[in-house]
Amino acid sequence: EYLCHVYVRSDGLAGVVVADTEYPQRVCFTLLDKVLDEFSRQVSKIDWPSGSPATITYAALDDYLSKYQVEPWRP
């Protein structure tokens, strides 16, 4: 029913999208690429290994998730 899409970059940064089987794979990887690219520009690489939501602020994630979310079709 769901697929887990994983993208690991050569710099060690990784992202995961869990989506239903109807969500386009290409869109998942476009989202992952954009989020990881922007995150790597905003957050120092030194903070990646020890960072947590309490220590790293990345507000753009909510905007991306909202933009890429597909509302279920209702008749």
Side-chain angles (χ1 to χ4, degrees):
E1 187 173 343
Y2 295 96
L3 292 174
C4 181
H5 305 275
V6 180
Y7 178 44
V8 181
R9 295 179 2 157
S10 61
D11 60 6
L13 198 58
V16 177
V17 170
V18 178
D20 65 23
T21 55
E22 294 179 16
Y23 199 85
Q25 180 177 345
R26 183 174 179 210
V27 176
C28 290
F29 286 100
T30 298
L31 169 61
L32 285 168
D33 187 50
K34 288 181 178 188
V35 167
L36 295 178
D37 188 48
E38 186 171 325
F39 180 88
S40 70
R41 286 194 310 267
Q42 291 184 11
V43 179
S44 172
K45 190 173 183 175
I46 294 171
D47 295 329
W48 299 353
S50 61
S52 72
T55 61
I56 294 177
T57 302
Y58 179 62
L61 182 60
D62 290 338
D63 292 335
Y64 278 114
L65 293 178
S66 178
K67 180 180 177 182
Y68 281 82
Q69 183 176 348
V70 176
E71 295 294 326
W73 183 77
R74 299 184 198 277

